[in-house]
Amino acid sequence: MGKLKVLVAGTGFAGQGHTEAFRAAGAEVVGMVGRTEHVVDEISNKLGIPYGGTDWAAALSTLQPDIVAIATPGGAHYQQIKQAIAAGCHVFCDKPMTTEGATATELYQQARAKGIKTAFAASFQYTPSVQHAKQLIAEGAIGEPTEIENISHFNLERGIPFGWSHRAEDGGGRLNNSFTHSLAISTALIEGSIQKICGDVRDDLGRAPIVEGVHDFTKRRQFIPQNMDDPALKWGKSNVEWSFTVMARLQTPLAAQPVSVLFKHGGLVPRFNEDHIVIYGTKGAIYLVGHYGSGPLYLHDGNDWAEVPTPSDIAQSVRDDVGETEQCWQVLADLFLRDIQGQQVAPYPTFAEGSLYQNIIDSLRQSDNWVDVSHLQKGDAT
């Protein structure tokens, strides 16, 4: 079998990262599609991609790729994926899968009906430290898992220019772009399935300055206005959450009872102590440093905490010459490619998870889980 051909949608950080991930896995990236002609020409030339264009349908027809990699903001995903499925392409999609549960479910069902393989890049579960923790838990190092705690504070600048991350219709919001990773990590750690979920979300930003010229999402901070009080500034209105508190119950074959999980994220607030993930069990606990648990791992054996180095086989499973995000894309792309080629691989996140997560996000954004107890403060217990 010759190299599988990949067409990439998106020219920014994710598009370039997906390109390198599939090349590292042994595929041939034959084309890239973006919104702006001069940008896609520049990026495709820089990366040595032979085809660059702005018409997605035309690129699918001309190149007839085996795989498409969707690396655009979430608002563009639905049509791109739908057309790719119709063309018979396997689909690798960054999160969020779409902007709402109904469209994500529709695409999942269409792909399944056509026998198309899919991958959903909630991929931070592939950091060496998370994989190490997963191994320790499976070996019984903490007994039966009972509880997982995910705490993160990003302290994002309020002056970040208005863009897709501020708009629900474009796939923005912290649930789409942080919670998806954290939920995937928690389920992966304990081989869990999501049974129940509830939560509260909050938009504590409100608005952001409109600034021209932002193309690469990772460089958006360079465009923050120096004077946020400038009366000439124009503003865009945020309609997504920047903070959330979510609770979940996960069923796992590793424990007799469901595992309680807390996700606490503040997108705009500073951290005092380190972000972390902790997995508690009946005999001990595992503490992972970092909001996605990618830092050092500490094990509590019932007496005290001790740092445990990552085993060499796990550490060597990822490249150390690229960033953490790119490492995880490469692991997932490799699994996806080998699965398409008929090799036996470990389970990885697909559109089944992508559509489930999108429906969960819809539910969290719409739900009202509060119990009104104001009357009890007045002495009325009826």
Side-chain angles (χ1 to χ4, degrees):
M1 181 183 294
K3 286 188 175 183
L4 294 173
K5 298 187 298 182
V6 181
L7 171 64
V8 177
T11 59
F13 173 68
Q16 296 176 53
H18 288 194
T19 297
E20 296 305 325
F22 275 102
R23 283 175 169 170
E28 179 185 4
V29 178
V30 296
M32 174 176 277
V33 173
R35 290 179 301 173
T36 308
E37 185 173 0
H38 76 87
V39 173
V40 74
D41 286 345
E42 175 190 343
I43 301 301
S44 60
N45 287 331
K46 182 182 78 170
L47 298 178
I49 299 172
Y51 178 101
T54 58
D55 188 324
W56 179 245
L60 286 170
S61 176
T62 300
L63 300 174
Q64 298 184 11
D66 303 295
I67 301 166
V68 298
I70 307 297
T72 50
H77 288 181
Y78 175 73
Q79 289 297 337
Q80 290 173 334
I81 295 172
K82 188 172 183 177
Q83 291 173 337
I85 291 172
C89 304
H90 303 296
V91 185
F92 181 102
C93 179
D94 223 301
K95 45 77 189 162
M97 185 173 161
T98 64
T99 60
E100 56 185 11
T103 53
T105 301
E106 176 191 340
L107 294 176
Y108 165 54
Q109 292 173 343
Q110 287 180 4
R112 186 173 60 175
K114 289 198 68 170
I116 285 169
K117 292 189 180 295
T118 59
F120 174 64
S123 48
F124 274 107
Q125 61 185 282
Y126 293 115
T127 60
S129 51
V130 171
Q131 291 299 301
H132 184 198
K134 179 180 179 180
Q135 178 178 294
L136 289 172
I137 294 166
E139 292 171 350
I142 63 171
E144 292 190 9
T146 58
E147 182 180 351
I148 302 175
E149 175 182 286
N150 299 264
I151 304 296
S152 58
H153 308 85
F154 278 15
N155 200 25
L156 297 170
E157 298 90 337
R158 292 175 177 270
I160 287 176
F162 186 73
W164 66 263
S165 63
H166 299 83
R167 299 188 293 259
E169 61 271 24
D170 288 336
R174 300 312 306 156
L175 288 173
N176 276 332
N177 297 286
S178 176
F179 176 66
T180 44
H181 284 301
S182 296
L183 184 56
I185 289 169
S186 291
T187 56
L189 283 169
I190 60 170
E191 304 170 31
S193 59
I194 306 162
Q195 301 298 305
K196 295 185 177 181
I197 202 152
C198 67
D200 187 41
V201 303
R202 183 176 67 255
D203 180 358
D204 39 13
L205 178 65
R207 67 176 191 171
I210 297 174
V211 181
E212 299 296 329
V214 182
H215 168 65
D216 187 336
F217 180 76
T218 63
K219 298 177 181 177
R220 64 198 188 282
R221 288 178 173 83
Q222 299 175 10
F223 294 83
I224 295 175
Q226 291 187 352
N227 180 12
M228 294 289 289
D229 296 321
D230 185 347
L233 276 180
K234 296 181 179 179
W235 299 86
K237 180 174 171 51
S238 166
N239 64 3
V240 292
E241 72 288 331
W242 291 86
S243 298
F244 59 78
T245 303
V246 175
M247 296 183 294
R249 289 181 184 171
L250 305 186
Q251 198 72 44
T252 171
L254 304 178
Q257 297 187 60
V259 175
S260 302
V261 188
L262 170 67
F263 304 90
K264 181 69 185 77
H265 176 72
L268 302 172
V269 297
R271 64 182 62 88
F272 181 72
N273 289 317
E274 61 205 10
D275 293 349
H276 61 268
I277 300 173
V278 191
I279 310 95
Y280 300 98
T282 55
K283 296 180 180 179
I286 292 173
Y287 184 100
L288 295 171
V289 176
H291 52 271
Y292 296 138
S294 55
L297 182 152
Y298 295 85
L299 175 65
H300 195 286
D301 61 3
N303 296 305
D304 202 0
W305 292 101
E307 183 175 353
V308 182
T310 305
S312 59
D313 61 325
I314 295 178
Q316 293 169 6
S317 66
V318 299
R319 292 170 53 183
D320 59 7
D321 60 338
V322 295
E324 183 178 273
T325 304
E326 296 94 321
Q327 287 178 357
C328 294
W329 280 332
Q330 290 186 9
V331 174
L332 182 57
D334 181 69
L335 288 168
F336 188 48
L337 209 65
R338 290 194 287 120
D339 187 24
I340 292 170
Q341 293 170 328
Q343 300 179 38
Q344 195 74 23
V345 299
Y348 56 85
T350 69
F351 279 12
E353 286 75 24
S355 60
L356 172 62
Y357 289 12
Q358 217 58 52
N359 279 283
I360 286 173
I361 289 170
D362 283 356
S363 177
L364 292 171
R365 286 175 168 172
Q366 297 165 7
S367 65
D368 183 2
N369 301 298
W370 298 104
V371 176
D372 187 352
V373 296
S374 58
H375 61 287
L376 300 179
Q377 299 178 43
K378 301 175 183 178
D380 181 5
T382 58

